[in-house]
Amino acid sequence: GWEGAYYVIAIAIAVIGIPAVLWLVSEPTVAAAGGMPKTTDAILPGVPFRKAIRTRAWIFITLALVFAATAPIAMRQNAVDFYAQTGIDAATVSLSLSVLFSTSIVGLLIGGTILDRMSRPWIVAVLLAGAPVGLALALVNNGSAALLYISMALLGIVAGVESALGPALIAKYFGLKSFAALQGLTLAITSPALALSPYLVSAIKAGSGSYTVPLLVLAGITMIAVILTVLLPKYPAPWVLHMPPRDAAPGQATAD
């Protein structure tokens, strides 16, 4: 069934995708040859890759993204079966999934706009708080279509915000020096969680006989994501691009 397909996809990502990304993001040594100028990447401001992945900021960002992303995709895949228990028909649930997709676009716009304008990381916690609230509304729903739409709308906003968070926070905390490597590794870590979460929710439901336990687990996980973002350190000073002086050789970097 589709549960097995999710399992196979997750294993493929873990076995093939993660080693491939780690190889692609490795930092090669740039050797000067024949008087050729150094690549302009040398002057990009930021934190080196190996140093960045050991920081509290990157670890908390990655874990928060993994935990926050599980709720929207797990609910999206199990919504029809879950809400059938409350007496809501499949057509209404399908319409609510359209609401989820629509509000995810709103989440992308809101997340990007707010993150560009706020100088404190606590706002990230506020943006992600919609996930546990949306799950709580799902748990207490006894057949209300209005609560269904509100719950899906909140989860959709979180899905969009989560997509904007990774690049925005990595750029703010670590600059551009290793941006692509850090973003690639972050996606390599979050992707298996996204692939496995619907299957795990379905498996726990099969074992417990109810969606209450897996949804409570998801609510707890998303609350951990909110707490992790509350604990993010202050943003560093804005990264400044150091341009070579006018009389320097083309491509020659100045000292930081």
Side-chain angles (χ1 to χ4, degrees), residues 1-254:
W2 61 266
E3 294 93 345
Y6 276 117
Y7 184 76
V8 172
I9 292 171
I11 294 296
I13 292 172
V15 174
I16 301 173
I18 293 178
V21 170
L22 289 174
W23 177 74
L24 289 171
V25 302
S26 61
E27 300 176 38
T29 302
V30 178
M36 294 293 292
K38 295 181 180 178
T39 175
T40 55
D41 288 346
I43 64 173
L44 289 177
V47 181
F49 175 76
R50 290 183 179 86
K51 181 178 179 181
I53 60 175
R54 294 194 295 266
T55 63
R56 173 165 62 103
W58 183 80
I59 293 171
F60 280 15
I61 289 168
T62 304
L63 290 176
L65 292 176
V66 169
F67 294 157
T70 55
I73 192 168
M75 279 300 295
R76 186 175 69 191
Q77 298 297 330
N78 293 280
V80 173
D81 188 38
F82 169 74
Y83 281 105
Q85 299 179 152
T86 67
I88 300 178
D89 61 274
T92 302
V93 177
S94 298
L95 181 58
S96 75
L97 291 175
S98 297
V99 172
L100 186 151
F101 280 110
S102 300
T103 54
S104 68
I105 300 172
V106 176
L108 277 169
L109 296 173
I110 291 175
T113 301
I114 291 178
L115 288 170
D116 279 345
R117 287 162 174 76
M118 292 295 292
S119 58
R120 297 289 186 274
W122 60 264
I123 190 63
V124 178
V126 177
L127 294 172
L128 293 183
V133 173
L135 290 170
L137 292 177
L139 283 167
V140 301
N141 193 340
N142 290 318
S144 169
L147 280 183
L148 165 65
Y149 292 134
I150 294 172
S151 173
M152 288 298 193
L154 289 172
L155 291 172
I157 290 173
V158 171
V161 166
E162 179 269 332
S163 298
L165 281 183
L169 292 180
I170 288 173
K172 282 181 178 290
Y173 279 106
F174 308 110
L176 298 177
K177 187 177 184 65
S178 302
F179 176 83
L182 291 170
Q183 177 65 5
L185 181 59
T186 303
L187 290 174
I189 293 172
T190 57
S191 294
L194 295 178
L196 279 173
S197 58
Y199 168 73
L200 292 176
V201 168
S202 181
I204 295 173
K205 185 263 182 182
S208 64
S210 169
Y211 276 105
T212 301
V213 173
L215 259 66
L216 285 173
V217 172
L218 281 179
I221 288 174
T222 54
M223 276 303 303
I224 293 173
V226 173
I227 293 170
L228 287 172
T229 53
V230 169
L231 298 176
L232 284 173
K234 293 181 178 179
Y235 292 142
W239 300 98
V240 178
L241 182 64
H242 296 283
M243 299 301 294
R246 292 180 181 276
D247 56 350
Q252 182 177 345
T254 58

